């Protein structure tokens, strides 16, 4: 069965979300579009929290968020336990966000990446495995205040 990937954006990421929705479907994923559904002005936390809650609860393994810079979405998503939302602006960083940081939410700065790069970033994010080992030790320390 195809993995169901939730995707959401604010108005600044709306057009890129529409593009990536098609790209995800072409890659064989089932897409859960959690809004926004037009380019009318919206507030990014209204979209980041519901998507991150799905990853926090385990309902979704990973998800995709978009806003203008990626920053607001990442701030809100990273308030959820177990969520590691990475702002990614190049395909290479997408690979490291997965292999070293075990990112489970991809956050795209829609106003600062081309459609071509966004698809390449998405593909690397979805196709790259976490390396574990020393990186797992570090990632596990994120959720605890003391080492
Ligand atoms: C919206 O204008 C913009 O502020 C928002 O998309 C995002 O970049 C916030 O972090």
């Amino acid at each position: 069965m195809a993995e169901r990937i939730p995707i959401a954006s604010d108005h600044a990421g709306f057009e890129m979300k529409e593009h990536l929705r098609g790209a995800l479907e072409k890659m064989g994923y089932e897409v859960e579009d959690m809004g926004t559904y037009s380019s009318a002005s919206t507030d990014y936390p209204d979209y980041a929290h519901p998507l991150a809650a799905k990853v926090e609860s385990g309902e979704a393994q990973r998800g995709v968020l978009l806003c203008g810079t990626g920053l607001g979405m990442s701030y809100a998503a990273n308030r959820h336990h177990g969520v590691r939302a990475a702002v990614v602006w190049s395909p290479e960083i997408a690979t490291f966000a997965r292999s070293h940081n075990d990112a489970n939410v991809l956050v795209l700065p829609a106003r600062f990446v081309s459609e071509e790069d966004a698809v390449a970033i998405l593909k690397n994010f979805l196709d790259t495995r976490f390396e574990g080992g020393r990186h797992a030790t570090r990632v596990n320390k994120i959720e605890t205040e003391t080492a």
Side-chain angles (χ1 to χ4, degrees), residues 10-13 41-42 44 66-73 75 111-112:
D10 69 355
H11 55 287
S41 184
T42 53
Y44 53 80
L66 305 97
C67 66
T69 59
L71 298 175
M73 285 292 195
Y75 295 167
R111 287 180 172 151
F112 297 91

Side-chain angles (χ1 to χ4, degrees), residues 6 10-11 36 40 63 90 94 96 99-100 117 120 124 127 137 147:
D10 69 355
H11 55 287
T36 185
S90 81
F96 283 116
S99 62
H100 285 192
D117 274 357
N124 284 4
D127 291 351
T137 306

Side-chain angles (χ1 to χ4, degrees), residues 30-147:
E30 194 187 324
V31 181
E32 181 176 358
D33 187 348
M34 299 180 70
T36 185
Y37 303 110
S38 79
S39 47
S41 184
T42 53
D43 301 331
Y44 53 80
D46 295 344
Y47 300 91
H49 285 306
L51 186 143
K54 279 185 189 282
V55 176
E56 183 175 22
S57 72
E59 187 187 328
Q61 268 186 281
R62 45 202 183 163
V64 181
L65 289 168
L66 305 97
C67 66
T69 59
L71 298 175
M73 285 292 195
S74 68
Y75 295 167
N78 278 318
R79 303 295 290 257
H80 293 253
H81 284 291
V83 169
R84 290 175 296 278
V87 182
V88 174
W89 59 94
S90 81
E92 292 77 12
I93 292 173
T95 301
F96 283 116
R98 286 288 313 129
S99 62
H100 285 192
N101 308 114
D102 201 15
N104 50 17
V105 175
L106 171 67
V107 189
L108 281 155
R111 287 180 172 151
F112 297 91
V113 289
S114 66
E115 283 189 349
E116 192 188 351
D117 274 357
V119 172
I121 288 166
L122 182 63
K123 197 168 172 0
N124 284 4
F125 172 75
L126 293 170
D127 291 351
T128 307
R129 290 172 68 99
F130 180 46
E131 278 178 23
R134 69 186 191 281
H135 300 298
T137 306
R138 294 163 188 167
V139 168
N140 289 337
K141 286 185 180 180
I142 294 172
E143 291 273 338
T144 54
E145 280 185 31
T146 51

